[in-house]
């Protein structure tokens, strides 16, 4: 009995000592390690034009199979990835599309094209801070798969563009965009806090996020981090590219809240939930006079969840 008590006390002392010194968060994935990432995105975009409100609703669920193929000298990870599952639903006044790799209906040509993408590999370059540095070959794979399909030629260009926008390079980069903020340079302890600023594109609009991150919980297995942040649009930003239309200015603001659970053994983010609410106006200016011609009320509501875990 005494030995058991001593073992428990030593284990508790070791755990407390480790937490008091802080724990360093970073990816620690061995070469050959395999895992899956499931991403679910719900996006609502509202625009008002001449008193008429236009809504676009998008739901995207995808599952990626990922394997660590190599680790370079800068501790960046070269990953091979392929889609295992995809469901896409888009509803608006201009388009009503619903496709899924789970549907086997031979008459559903769009879902057939989606299924033909499964298992085709592309590459992800990931930093040890969980930041996707680059995505290689994904947009090209999508474009080639659609071009080789039996879809009518008039549909190929539009469907390829919709797929790239939904599950292509920029979509994957956006899912990873703020992960690096949750891997600070110094070791963390419970109740630690820090600020982070980042630039990103949302629905093609340059944005800036100023977030405050806190360590909510720290256990032997995982760390739970939460954040609250303010979002503001930018007219143009070199880090994320110029604004989509040179004659448009954006006056948008909103907030973001998120929670992430990080596995301390591998450094993988096991679960991530990010919610955003952004609203304001888009102003169109005359190219000739620079005077304001049109003001469009604009709103974005989004929620993204990511779940990762080792492959069986």
């Amino acid at each position: 009995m005494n030995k058991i008590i001593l073992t428990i006390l030593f284990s508790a002392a070791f755990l407390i000592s480790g937490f008091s010194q802080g724990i360093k968060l970073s990816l620690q994935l061995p070469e050959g390690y395999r895992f899956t990432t499931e991403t679910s995105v719900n996006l609502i975009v509202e625009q008002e034009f001449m008193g008429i409100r236009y809504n676009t609703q998008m739901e995207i669920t995808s599952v990626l199979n990922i394997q660590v193929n190599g680790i370079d000298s800068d501790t960046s990870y070269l990953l091979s990835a392929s889609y295992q599952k995809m469901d896409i639903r888009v509803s608006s006044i201009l388009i009503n599309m619903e496709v899924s790799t789970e549907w086997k209906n031979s008459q559903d040509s769009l879902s057939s094209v989606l299924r033909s993408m499964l298992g085709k590999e592309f590459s992800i370059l990931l930093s040890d801070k969980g930041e996707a540095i680059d995505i290689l070959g994904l947009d090209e794979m999508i474009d080639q798969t659609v071009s080789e399909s039996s879809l009518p030629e008039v549909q190929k260009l539009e469907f390829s563009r919709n797929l790239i926008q939904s599950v292509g390079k920029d979509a994957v980069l956006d899912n990873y965009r703020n992960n690096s903020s949750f891997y600070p340079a110094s070791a963390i302890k419970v109740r630690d806090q820090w600020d982070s600023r980042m630039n990103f594109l949302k629905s093609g609009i340059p944005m800036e996020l100023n977030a405050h991150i806190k360590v909510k919980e720290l256990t032997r297995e995982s760390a739970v981090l939460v954040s609250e942040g303010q979002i503001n649009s930018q007219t143009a930003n070199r880090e994320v590219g110029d604004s989509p239309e040179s004659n448009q200015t954006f006056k948008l603001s909103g907030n973001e809240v998120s929670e992430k659970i990080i596995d301390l053994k591998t450094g993988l983010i096991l679960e991530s939930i990010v919610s955003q609410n952004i609203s304001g106006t888009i102003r169109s200016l005359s190219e000739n006079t620079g005077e304001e011609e049109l003001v469009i009320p604009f709103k974005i509501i989004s929620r993204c969840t990511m779940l990762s875990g080792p492959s069986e």
Side-chain angles (χ1 to χ4, degrees), residues 60 127 206:
I60 303 170
S127 76

Side-chain angles (χ1 to χ4, degrees), residues 48-50 282-286 291-296:
E48 188 174 318
F49 181 71
M50 298 184 66
I282 298 177
R283 299 173 182 269
S284 178
L285 305 178
S286 170
E291 295 180 355
E292 183 178 294
E293 291 185 337
L294 188 65
V295 178
I296 303 173

Side-chain angles (χ1 to χ4, degrees), residues 119-286:
K120 293 185 176 180
E121 292 189 351
F122 57 94
S123 298
I124 301 175
L125 187 61
L126 200 65
S127 76
D128 65 343
K129 301 301 182 184
E131 177 187 14
I133 301 170
D134 202 1
I135 311 290
L136 306 173
L138 176 54
D139 288 358
E140 293 79 3
M141 180 272 285
I142 293 173
D143 191 56
Q144 181 177 356
T145 301
V146 175
S147 66
E148 293 175 351
S149 72
S150 58
L151 289 176
E153 292 298 325
V154 293
Q155 290 187 17
K156 288 182 177 179
L157 179 62
E158 181 181 359
F159 191 53
S160 178
R161 182 171 59 246
N162 288 334
L163 283 182
I164 289 174
Q165 181 180 0
S166 301
V167 294
K169 175 179 178 177
D170 288 341
V172 175
L173 286 174
D174 185 54
N175 293 334
Y176 278 101
R177 67 170 175 78
N178 68 342
N179 285 352
S180 59
S181 303
F182 291 82
Y183 295 84
S186 58
I188 65 167
K189 300 184 294 294
V190 177
R191 292 186 293 275
D192 274 358
Q193 306 179 35
W194 61 93
D195 295 323
S196 174
R197 185 190 70 82
M198 70 192 70
N199 299 307
F200 65 99
L201 288 173
K202 191 71 173 182
S203 297
I205 300 173
M207 303 276 189
E208 179 183 77
L209 169 66
N210 289 282
H212 186 69
I213 303 171
K214 297 187 291 186
V215 181
K216 178 181 178 182
E217 183 180 336
L218 205 54
T219 69
R220 186 188 295 271
E221 293 82 20
S222 63
V224 181
L225 284 71
V226 296
S227 75
E228 296 182 1
Q230 295 297 313
I231 298 173
N232 290 286
S233 59
Q234 301 180 35
T235 301
N237 190 292
R238 293 180 180 179
E239 294 185 44
V240 295
D242 292 337
S243 55
E245 299 290 343
S246 59
N247 65 332
Q248 288 185 332
T249 59
F250 308 101
K251 292 187 177 180
L252 301 166
S253 62
N255 61 75
E256 175 184 287
V257 295
S258 70
E259 178 171 306
K260 296 182 187 291
I261 303 175
I262 302 177
D263 177 37
L264 297 183
K265 181 179 180 181
T266 62
L268 276 178
I269 293 179
L270 301 178
E271 182 174 353
S272 170
I273 304 174
V274 181
S275 297
Q276 294 180 338
N277 196 319
I278 305 166
S279 61
T281 58
I282 298 177
R283 299 173 182 269
S284 178
L285 305 178
S286 170

Side-chain angles (χ1 to χ4, degrees), residues 9 47 64 85-86 88 102 124 148-149 206 221 239 284:
L9 289 175
Q47 303 179 66
L64 281 173
K85 175 186 175 182
M86 282 181 281
I88 303 173
E102 302 296 291
I124 301 175
E148 293 175 351
S149 72
E221 293 82 20
E239 294 185 44
S284 178

Side-chain angles (χ1 to χ4, degrees), residues 81-94:
S82 62
Y83 278 108
Q84 179 183 348
K85 175 186 175 182
M86 282 181 281
D87 297 318
I88 303 173
R89 296 175 178 83
V90 182
S91 176
S92 72
I93 193 172
L94 299 176

